[in-house]
Structure formats: structure tokens, C-alpha cells
Amino acid sequence: MNLKELAAHLGLSQTTVSRALNGYPEVSEATRTRVREAAERLEYRPNAAARRLATGRTGTVAIIFPSERSLLLDPHFLDFLAGVAEKLADDDVELTLRATRRNDELETYRRLVRNRRVDGFIVSSPLIEDERVRLLSDLDVPFVLHGRTDTQAPYAYLDIDNEGAFRRATELLVDLGHRRIGLLNGKRELNFARDREAGYLAALAAHGIAPDPGLIVNAAMTEEIGYRNASALLARPQRPTALLAASVLLAFGAYRAARDLGLVIGKDVSVIAHDDGLPFLKAETLDPPLATTVSPIRAGGYRLAELLLARINGNPPEDLREVAPVDLVFRASIGRMLT
Amino acid sequence: MNLKELAAHLGLSQTTVSRALNGYPEVSEATRTRVREAAERLEYRPNAAARRLATGRTGTVAIIFPSERSLLLDPHFLDFLAGVAEKLADDDVELTLRATRRNDELETYRRLVRNRRVDGFIVSSPLIEDERVRLLSDLDVPFVLHGRTDTQAPYAYLDIDNEGAFRRATELLVDLGHRRIGLLNGKRELNFARDREAGYLAALAAHGIAPDPGLIVNAAMTEEIGYRNASALLARPQRPTALLAASVLLAFGAYRAARDLGLVIGKDVSVIAHDDGLPFLKAETLDPPLATTVSPIRAGGYRLAELLLARINGNPPEDLREVAPVDLVFRASIGRMLT
DNA sequence: ATCTTCTACCAAAGCGCTTTGAAAATTTGA
DNA sequence: TCAAATTTTCAAAGCGCTTTGGTAGAAGAT
């Protein structure tokens, strides 16, 4: 059943039927209803390819991920993806996922744009300086960033308040008497890692505590790395009394490290982490329950997709910028410093 | 730059240019080279929508995942996805990801087929009885299963030798003197879980050991659930001396449970797990290193995509069935049973 | 030299939709 | 009542490709 047949069936022109279905005003309500009902009854579905060809719009957005980079290592990404996919499915927009080899990333963006394969992009894990933002901005194609960047270009984004979250978490630890606080952070080039460090440093500065660079670690966010780096920090002669971790996975490694050293978490060493709300690794079920700053990444994906659709529909990037607040959840993994 | 312009530029007809680029024989080698070079130089890229409309093929395959089901909980899925995406990117085939709400799953398949949105599907985590297989087979649309199912229908698949892997792992434990072996398995309705149990039971039977149903647990594969169920098993009066886990994540939970009870892994209790090769949680870096049956799920995704493309190109499902072997890696988490 | 087969190319139709420009039908104004 | 304005509908063009059904020209057969 295609447009032509449907129109013939109704004794109308294709024009009228098309307009009736697409909500154009120059169709009487009577015919519109008649057309809608017939379309429903006959299960008419417009051919996507034909529509794309005619309109130039693809009804598709893409996420490009480099095979070799950390996205793949990162369970957070899947949860984020789930949120994105949910919103897009709601609006019947297609989500295409594209893997690229090491150095093809920018070229892949360029190709998809040139071939008119997509209406827009979701760009995740932005770097402090991010070429993708510059490129997409130059190409003048809609995109939304999951996070922010220093790269100068007008772009839409959804970020969480990384700086605020880590400032408050650090302040909490300081208020509990901690002075040597280790920071297990994400990779240095990632924007969110920088913001989190900034929050941490701001809180220390506000309390007149001199930061110790040796207490700050930048690395990938896996359990193993958390274990290794926490072990190293806790083995220092002047052992930190608290650890601030950029993900539950890192904290999980830190728990293991502390246990290995016979340290009791929440007593000998306090641990607090940022929790992206991963469904398979829950902070509250760890032993002891892990205090966190929390902002569900899946909900972020959903909202981000909304922003992208708005961007595609012509809203300017300036109107599509959001910073989600972050909650601080106190649990037994942190405690007053023993004197 | 479109076909028409390219043809005009070359002084050829669109027909000839199209044929030259698509490798049809009725073009002289001389012109073909000339056309190819010009296309390259002028950066001609065929419009995907137009091609789809003309050919009826979309150059797209889809993976549908239910928002509420366990795929999302499952980091294995992301790694699998990465493998699929890599192969598809190599062949410039688009991968679309589609989320569905609770009961829309089958309807979503139907819609995508009816709207001619995709050339084929990848179906993951098959159930023992799987309606999707029946539906897609009835709709006569290409698809490949990641795993197998009891549902009667001719289908292509890539599976790993779950039965063999768990049979050998169990045999190894038996050989080391273990008699009470706990099985931390995936959810009961999943086909691979059934196969793994079958392997486990076969090994016990081969050594004349009566299986204890109380030692078999079916549940989701998360760290927390591994912890809970392993705790329960290890608290039994007749404590199992070995645990066989369906994923590293489960084993990870089991490690925690054992430690809580003051048991030394590899001595008081042996642990072996199936390892899908997740990059962020490595069996070999656990303490003690975790013995595993291993089959990288990412490579599986890549191969599966190859099979699907072959299926789309008309190969019959019967020719597209593979069972990948599984390696058994001995590490310190297993040891001879103490007498 | 004529007729038949290939080879290498082409014009035009068609895929199923949207959209332009115009016509028909209806309502409004005086 | 008739022209003007408005509403509703339509025919046809166009999106950029593939593919059908050709036609020239070269090669081979007689």
C-alpha cells in the first residue's frame, strides 16, 4: 500500500493525501479525518527512502564511536545510549551507530554529512579541546554535546554539574575532618575530569588546604585501575584518609585496595564516588554502602536526544544548553576522621 | 556532485556511469577506470536515499533491544555491539539501534519490516523458546541469531560451545577432587544458560556424581547477584568447594562473598567463570587471577555481522551456522580440593 | 559484401514521496 | 447577483539513483 494506491482508493490526489497525513493546513478537516482513517485501516506506512529523497531529511541521527577509544571500555556509554535510543524511538527517529578505526573519526563525520546520511549527531565524552566540535560547527550540521569543551564554537550541550558535585563532595569530606583527600579521576584530556578536579581544588582552597598533586590521579575508569591507583595512594607514608572517585567502578577497585591493606572503609578511609546510576553495579549495595554524587546517565541520554531533535528543528544552540544538578547521597562509606 | 553532474562532466550517460561504478560487466575497462578516477577526484558519493528508493535495499541492519530487559543491564551487550559495528562499518552498512517498550518488541520488528527500513536483523540473547525467531522466519526477512533456540524455524546463527565449555570446566573441577560444585548461572529462560547447565550436568553424570538442585542458581548476571547467591551457597551446611559462574561479573561477586566468609579463593573454594572478554573487567587481574572458559564476545559480534551480510546476500540459513569453540584457561582461582 | 552476434553505450521509465503552481469549489462582500 | 477573496483540491515536476529496453558500431560468420 503506497501513497498512490491510497489516494486512488480515496478518490483523492496524492497531494491531498500527503498533506492530510502530514498535517498541512490546506486540507479540510473532513477529508483529513477520512484520509487518516483510511490510512490507519489499510495500514499505510510511508516509504522512508522516498520521503528522505523528497525532503532531504533523513530522520536519522548518528553516534560515532572510535573502536579503540575508551567509550567501548565504558559501561556508562551503554546506559547513556539506552536513554538516547528511548527518546528517539518515541519520536520514530532512527539511531545509527558507527564504529571508526583509529584515525578515521573526523573523516567519518565528514562522510556522513556529505552523503546526507544523517540529520544530526550526538557527541559524547568531549575532550577539553575537541576537534569534533570545531568540525561539526564548521560543517553547520546539528549536533549536541554530552558535556562541554573549551573549543570555541557555538554548540548545544547537556552537561552535569561536575564541578559543583566534586566541590560539594570534597567539602563534605573536609567538614568531616579530612585533610588528605585522594582524587581518582578520569583521563586528563576529558573535560568532565578537568571540571571535577576544579571542584575538588576549589573546595580545598576554600578551606585553606594546600592541594597535594601526588594525591591526584588521572586514568581510565575501570575497576582494575581503581584498585591499582588506590593501592598506591593508600601505601603512601602520609596515607590519605579519604578518596574521591570519578566512578563507582573506580571506587569498587578502591574498596578492594583498602581491604587488601586491612583498612576499614568508612572508618580508616572514607570513599565517595560519582554514580552514573549504572543498573548492574549499585552503589547502595556495596559493603559498606557507597556515598555518591549521583546523576543518572540514562536520563541524561534521553534529555540529550530531546535537545538534538530541537536543534534539528532549527532551535539555535544558545537555547539548548543545560547543566543538570547533581545530588549528594550520604552513605556509610564516609565518616568523621579519627583523631 | 550527483550522478547526473558526474555523467555530464564525463560526457557519458548516467547509465554508464552508474554501471561503471557498481561493477557491472557491460562497460569497457577503459571507461570504467576513467569514471572511477573522476568519481574519486570529484568526491562523488551516491545519495543513499535515492539508491534505497531505486533498489529497495536499505543498506541497514537493525538491533532491537527492549528497554526493560536485561540487555541494558548487561555490559556484555556493548562489547558485542562494538564487534558488530566494526564489521558493518567496514562494509559501509548502517547499524540502527532501536529501543522498544515492554510489549512492543515484536510489533517493532514487524513495523521495521513493513516500512522496509532494514535489510536484516541481529537477534541477541535468544530464549529457549523465542517468538522473535518465529516471527522473523514467518516474515521471511534475513536475520542471524547470537546463540540458538529450541524454536523450530530455519535460522542462521553464531553460538559458542556453551555446553562443551561448562562440561570441561566442571570436569576439571571434578578431576581436582571437587564433588560439591555450585553453578551460578544466567536466567533460566535464556538458551545459553540451559546449555551451560546441560554441560555441567553431563560432566557430573559422567563421573557418577548426583547433582544437587540446591547448588544451581539461575539469575541475572550482576556483581551484586553473584555476591548474594554465592553467599547463600557458601553458607550451606555442606558448603560447596567450587563455584562455576556464567560471567566474570558473577564471579566477582562470588570473590566478595568468599572473602566475607574468610575463605581463601583457590584453596577453600575454587572459582571458575565464563569470560566474554570484557575490556573493563579482566579475569587475569583479579586477585587471585580467575580461571575461565573464554570466548571474546566482541569477535563474536564481528563474525555475526559477517554472517548476516551473507544471509542478506542470499545465502541460505543452513549454510550460516557456526559454533565457536571455547578455551579453558587455568589460573590460581582453582585448586585441588583439600582433604 | 551481407547477415548475425557481441560489445559499449544511451534514453527514458520508475522507485514513492513532497512541493510548486494552478485550477476548481466555496464563501464573502457590496 | 456577480466579482473578489478564500478554501480546497489537483496535475505534474522533481529528489538521485537503478534498470529496462533499446541502438549504434565493431567483430565474426557465411
Side-chain angles (χ1 to χ4, degrees):
Chain A
M1 170 63 51
N2 60 21
L3 228 212
K4 199 166 164 184
E5 291 163 3
L6 179 59
H9 178 85
L10 285 162
L12 289 170
S13 73
Q14 292 191 43
T15 313
T16 305
V17 176
S18 168
R19 293 198 148 138
L21 293 174
N22 291 315
Y24 283 72
E26 53 272 83
V27 174
S28 72
E29 272 316 310
T31 26
R32 192 189 301 280
T33 330
R34 198 160 70 91
V35 170
R36 283 224 178 103
E37 278 166 5
E40 179 76 18
R41 189 159 34 79
L42 301 174
E43 300 194 328
Y44 164 74
R45 309 282 167 192
N47 176 304
R51 172 176 277 165
R52 286 175 196 193
L53 183 55
T55 61
R57 283 184 57 162
T58 63
T60 296
V61 308
I63 296 185
I64 294 180
F65 67 93
S67 312
E68 281 90 1
R69 223 164 63 189
S70 54
L71 279 188
L72 286 180
L73 307 178
D74 194 349
H76 304 97
F77 182 61
L78 182 59
D79 216 39
F80 169 69
L81 210 56
V84 170
E86 272 164 31
K87 171 59 185 165
L88 295 180
D90 284 351
D91 286 42
D92 204 33
V93 169
E94 239 157 58
L95 170 62
T96 107
L97 211 62
R98 186 92 183 193
T100 74
R101 309 221 171 265
R102 196 174 294 279
N103 287 317
D104 285 358
E105 192 175 359
L106 292 179
E107 184 52 28
T108 302
Y109 280 101
R110 246 185 239 111
R111 284 236 322 268
L112 291 185
V113 170
R114 202 170 41 202
N115 303 8
R116 312 203 146 276
R117 293 272 266 255
V118 299
D119 293 335
F121 293 95
I122 285 173
V123 177
S124 67
S125 298
L127 307 181
I128 296 176
E129 292 291 338
D130 203 302
E131 304 171 280
R132 299 172 296 176
V133 172
R134 155 116 299 123
L135 172 69
L136 292 174
S137 171
D138 287 350
L139 290 174
D140 198 26
V141 55
F143 70 98
V144 178
L145 212 56
H146 188 213
R148 282 170 283 184
T149 174
D150 280 0
T151 299
Q152 286 302 315
Y155 62 88
Y157 64 76
L158 173 69
D159 200 357
I160 63 173
D161 183 12
N162 285 303
E163 196 273 346
F166 271 44
R167 185 161 32 74
R168 287 169 55 209
T170 307
E171 259 163 8
L172 175 59
L173 293 171
V174 170
D175 287 346
L176 289 170
H178 298 277
R179 289 296 173 271
R180 287 190 306 281
I181 303 172
L183 176 62
L184 296 170
N185 208 347
K187 289 193 174 174
R188 160 155 278 119
E189 63 270 25
L190 292 167
N191 196 76
F192 77 81
R194 196 260 312 259
D195 288 351
R196 289 176 184 180
E197 179 173 324
Y200 162 86
L201 292 176
L204 292 185
H207 292 79
I209 302 172
D212 176 350
L215 291 179
I216 301 178
V217 182
N218 290 91
M221 304 197 293
T222 72
E223 195 276 341
E224 171 63 14
I225 287 176
Y227 173 75
R228 276 210 293 259
N229 288 327
S231 297
L233 287 180
L234 294 175
R236 286 163 64 99
Q238 287 279 60
R239 174 161 62 74
T241 61
L243 295 175
L244 187 52
S247 87
V248 174
L249 225 42
L250 282 174
F252 207 39
Y255 269 42
R256 183 150 68 94
R259 257 188 319 252
D260 274 7
L261 295 167
L263 299 173
V264 176
I265 289 162
K267 215 168 141 208
D268 302 319
V269 56
S270 289
V271 181
I272 182 167
H274 182 73
D275 179 8
D276 295 286
L278 295 189
F280 69 93
L281 195 56
K282 297 197 178 292
E284 62 268 31
T285 63
L286 297 190
D287 179 27
L290 174 63
T292 54
T293 57
V294 48
S295 176
I297 198 168
R298 182 164 175 170
Y302 194 93
R303 180 61 187 148
L304 194 71
E306 289 183 335
L307 294 180
L308 178 57
L309 296 182
R311 182 77 193 85
I312 288 173
N313 286 323
N315 295 55
E318 293 75 22
D319 299 352
L320 302 168
R321 296 178 169 167
E322 292 184 10
V323 177
V326 175
D327 284 334
L328 187 58
V329 181
F330 195 105
R331 295 200 187 91
S333 65
I334 48 179
R336 180 160 293 283
M337 205 193 93
L338 303 176
T339 43
Chain B
M1 170 62 52
N2 59 24
L3 228 212
K4 199 167 163 183
E5 291 163 3
L6 180 60
H9 178 85
L10 284 162
L12 289 170
S13 72
Q14 291 191 40
T15 312
T16 304
V17 176
S18 169
R19 292 199 149 139
L21 292 174
N22 292 314
Y24 283 73
E26 51 273 82
V27 174
S28 72
E29 271 316 308
T31 22
R32 192 188 302 282
T33 329
R34 199 161 68 92
V35 170
R36 282 224 177 103
E37 277 166 5
E40 178 77 18
R41 190 159 32 81
L42 301 175
E43 300 195 326
Y44 164 74
R45 309 284 167 190
N47 176 305
R51 171 176 280 165
R52 286 176 196 191
L53 182 55
T55 60
R57 283 183 57 161
T58 63
T60 297
V61 308
I63 295 185
I64 294 180
F65 67 93
S67 310
E68 281 90 1
R69 223 164 61 190
S70 54
L71 279 188
L72 286 181
L73 307 178
D74 195 348
H76 303 98
F77 182 60
L78 182 59
D79 216 38
F80 169 69
L81 209 56
V84 170
E86 272 164 31
K87 171 59 185 165
L88 296 180
D90 284 352
D91 286 42
D92 205 32
V93 170
E94 240 157 58
L95 170 62
T96 107
L97 212 61
R98 186 91 182 192
T100 74
R101 308 220 172 267
R102 197 172 293 280
N103 287 318
D104 285 359
E105 191 175 0
L106 292 178
E107 184 52 28
T108 302
Y109 280 102
R110 247 186 238 108
R111 284 235 322 268
L112 291 185
V113 170
R114 201 169 41 202
N115 303 7
R116 311 204 148 277
R117 295 271 265 255
V118 299
D119 293 335
F121 293 96
I122 285 173
V123 177
S124 67
S125 297
L127 307 180
I128 295 176
E129 292 292 338
D130 203 302
E131 304 172 278
R132 299 171 296 177
V133 172
R134 156 117 298 122
L135 172 69
L136 291 174
S137 172
D138 287 350
L139 290 174
D140 197 28
V141 56
F143 70 99
V144 178
L145 212 58
H146 188 212
R148 281 169 283 186
T149 173
D150 280 0
T151 299
Q152 285 302 314
Y155 63 89
Y157 64 76
L158 173 70
D159 200 357
I160 63 173
D161 184 12
N162 285 302
E163 196 274 346
F166 271 44
R167 185 161 33 74
R168 287 168 55 210
T170 307
E171 258 163 11
L172 175 58
L173 292 171
V174 170
D175 288 346
L176 289 170
H178 297 277
R179 291 296 174 270
R180 288 190 305 282
I181 302 172
L183 176 62
L184 297 169
N185 209 345
K187 289 194 173 174
R188 160 153 278 119
E189 64 269 25
L190 291 167
N191 196 77
F192 77 81
R194 195 258 313 258
D195 288 351
R196 288 175 185 181
E197 179 173 322
Y200 163 85
L201 293 175
L204 291 185
H207 291 80
I209 302 171
D212 176 351
L215 290 179
I216 301 178
V217 182
N218 289 91
M221 304 196 293
T222 72
E223 195 274 344
E224 171 62 14
I225 288 177
Y227 172 75
R228 277 211 293 259
N229 287 328
S231 297
L233 287 179
L234 294 175
R236 287 165 63 101
Q238 286 279 61
R239 174 160 62 73
T241 62
L243 295 175
L244 187 51
S247 87
V248 174
L249 224 41
L250 282 174
F252 207 40
Y255 269 42
R256 182 149 68 97
R259 256 189 320 250
D260 274 7
L261 295 167
L263 299 173
V264 175
I265 290 163
K267 215 169 141 206
D268 302 319
V269 56
S270 289
V271 180
I272 183 167
H274 181 73
D275 179 7
D276 295 286
L278 295 189
F280 68 94
L281 195 57
K282 297 198 178 292
E284 62 268 31
T285 63
L286 297 190
D287 179 26
L290 174 64
T292 54
T293 58
V294 49
S295 177
I297 197 168
R298 182 164 175 170
Y302 193 94
R303 181 62 188 148
L304 194 72
E306 289 183 337
L307 294 180
L308 178 57
L309 295 182
R311 181 76 192 88
I312 289 173
N313 286 323
N315 295 55
E318 294 75 22
D319 299 352
L320 301 169
R321 296 178 168 167
E322 292 184 10
V323 177
V326 175
D327 284 334
L328 187 57
V329 181
F330 195 105
R331 294 200 187 91
S333 65
I334 49 180
R336 179 160 293 284
M337 207 193 90
L338 303 176
T339 43

